[in-house]
Amino acid sequence: MTIFVTGGAGYIGTHVILQLIEQGYDVVAADNFANSKPEAIARVKALCGYDFPFYEMDVRDCNRLSDIFTAHHIECVIHLAGLKAVGESISKPLEYYTNNLDSTIEILSAMKRYGIRKFIFSSSATVYSGENDMPLTEDSHTGSCANPYGWSKFMCEQIISDFTHANNGFSAVLLRYFNPIGAHESGKIGEDPQDIPNNLMPFIAQTTVGRLPFLNIYGNDYNTSDGTGVRDYIHVTDLAAGHVSAIKHLDTHDGIGIYNLGTGVGVSVLELVSAFEDASGVGIKKKIAARRPGDLAICYTSTTKAKIELGWEAKKSIRDCCIDTWRWQKNNPHGYET
Ligand code: NAD
Ligand code: UFG
């Protein structure tokens, strides 16, 4: 089966492509390098030893999509391309809505024209409203999103759901990722934020190699075990494996399926920092700062539905995540530019 992966040069896309190829799928990938580098694709090709077709393009370009769907017998699309920086989405809402919604609409339209019936979408835990009890389940309340990025994922989910209901035989899986961290165990691919990282793990990793002077801990007065925020951190290769399980699910199910991809375990900021210090052997300079606006105290998922219906669960530990992130960051202190 040939799978079209959008956003293939990104953090999650590179790991997804590797697993697809390891599992015997053919891959065609596309990316416009808005938040990634050609070197990422070169490294994926070197790791898997396969020169899969790659297109540098904006996936909103319907003519280029038609060219690809004419040239390759695509049976499934995994749509990871999107803008994802929460803070930037507040200052540039139109860019986020245009990019994330139009790309989804153009891809679904091209799939309809070419009779492609299987679709997997990168959604996010950010679609859940802040009022829910933990753990979050797929039936927890969505909406009331805290920023345009979150709303763009919420709206894409609605578009995909409406499209699926209107098109008999079309099937879609919405994967709501929790907090992906870690890197491929080779140390050759990993997360390479273009600017100062927004997320905790790349901030820890860059502080450890001396690119950043210290880590701000955003709040130590939450109602959690040590007062710092708690999240459900999932290794990116476990997350990638969830996409392979979703493809298998699409082989036997019509309609729409929604799955949370996380570990089911909440880990605090201080616990993650301490695990990284153990894995790297390097002490991390840190300061307690004010709470970050919009942050929840605790966010983690139930894993029951993904286990039962996808036959998938995360296997790697927080220590694995830290060891693999450290290997990537130590070998590539400046990311793919090293
Ligand atoms: P990433 O930025 O590393 O990868 C996204 C890729 O999409 C980038 O390579 C970027 O250049 C590309 N892209 C963006 N717009 C494009 C367009 N119009 N045409 C072609 N390429 C385009 O991000 P990631 O962490 O790999 O995330 C992948 C997906 O997962 C995104 O949709 C993101 O919103 C979603 N997600 C990520 C997280 C996370 O914490 N990393 C959590 C939940 C959901
Ligand atoms: N944190 C710090 N210091 C930092 C960065 C983060 O203390 O420098 C704390 C945050 O306050 C929070 C925790 O670390 O308690 C995790 O923060 P992240 O920014 O790494 O992750 P979030 O849970 O806030 O959000 C991320 C993505 C969202 C996505 C969500 C769920 O940024 O886009 O995970 O998938 F929706």
Side-chain angles (χ1 to χ4, degrees), residues 112-179:
K112 188 172 165 77
R113 288 198 300 281
Y114 284 80
I116 302 166
R117 292 162 166 267
K118 294 177 182 167
F119 185 70
I120 296 172
F121 179 68
S122 297
S123 191
S124 167
T126 197
V127 301
Y128 291 111
S129 72
E131 314 302 318
N132 290 296
D133 293 331
M134 297 293 142
L136 294 166
T137 73
E138 290 76 357
D139 294 326
S140 295
H141 185 62
T142 58
S144 318
C145 300
N147 49 68
Y149 166 70
W151 279 118
S152 77
K153 291 292 178 187
F154 178 88
M155 292 173 191
C156 284
E157 287 200 357
Q158 186 64 45
I159 291 166
I160 296 160
S161 172
D162 292 342
F163 180 83
T164 306
H165 289 128
N167 289 279
N168 234 346
F170 187 86
S171 46
V173 169
L174 310 178
L175 296 177
R176 293 177 179 159
Y177 309 156
F178 279 64
N179 291 60

Side-chain angles (χ1 to χ4, degrees), residues 142-297:
T142 58
S144 318
C145 300
N147 49 68
Y149 166 70
W151 279 118
S152 77
K153 291 292 178 187
F154 178 88
M155 292 173 191
C156 284
E157 287 200 357
Q158 186 64 45
I159 291 166
I160 296 160
S161 172
D162 292 342
F163 180 83
T164 306
H165 289 128
N167 289 279
N168 234 346
F170 187 86
S171 46
V173 169
L174 310 178
L175 296 177
R176 293 177 179 159
Y177 309 156
F178 279 64
N179 291 60
I181 59 170
H184 190 257
E185 60 182 16
S186 64
K188 301 271 189 201
I189 57 171
E191 188 168 12
D192 180 22
Q194 307 289 295
D195 297 310
I196 294 176
N198 297 304
N199 298 120
L200 179 60
M201 185 55 125
F203 210 108
I204 290 175
Q206 292 193 15
T207 307
T208 306
V209 291
R211 270 177 76 178
L212 297 167
F214 59 87
L215 169 74
N216 276 313
I217 295 183
Y218 296 137
N220 67 348
D221 55 354
Y222 285 109
N223 187 17
T224 61
S225 58
D226 58 24
T228 64
V230 167
R231 296 290 183 275
D232 188 334
Y233 296 99
I234 175 170
H235 196 294
V236 66
T237 61
D238 278 336
L239 190 79
H243 295 70
V244 176
S245 301
I247 295 166
K248 292 181 176 147
H249 180 82
L250 286 172
D251 287 339
T252 50
H253 293 78
D254 277 352
I256 193 145
I258 302 177
Y259 299 97
N260 290 349
L261 296 187
T263 65
V265 178
V267 171
S268 76
V269 175
L270 286 176
E271 285 168 343
L272 190 63
V273 169
S274 166
F276 202 90
E277 288 177 329
D278 281 352
S280 64
V282 180
I284 296 169
K285 287 186 202 133
K286 45 192 178 290
K287 290 186 183 171
I288 303 299
R291 290 183 181 191
R292 191 170 60 176
D295 270 358
L296 296 176

Side-chain angles (χ1 to χ4, degrees), residues 7 9-12 31-36 57-60 80-82 84 99 122-124 149 153 177-178 180:
Y11 171 45
I12 298 169
D31 202 300
N32 65 357
F33 300 124
N35 194 40
S36 52
M57 61 177 282
D58 192 308
V59 295
R60 290 171 289 176
L80 296 122
K84 65 161 186 178
N99 194 73
S122 297
S123 191
S124 167
Y149 166 70
K153 291 292 178 187
Y177 309 156
F178 279 64

Side-chain angles (χ1 to χ4, degrees), residues 5-21:
V5 180
T6 76
Y11 171 45
I12 298 169
T14 46
H15 292 85
V16 168
I17 291 174
L18 262 187
Q19 292 226 359
L20 291 175
I21 289 170

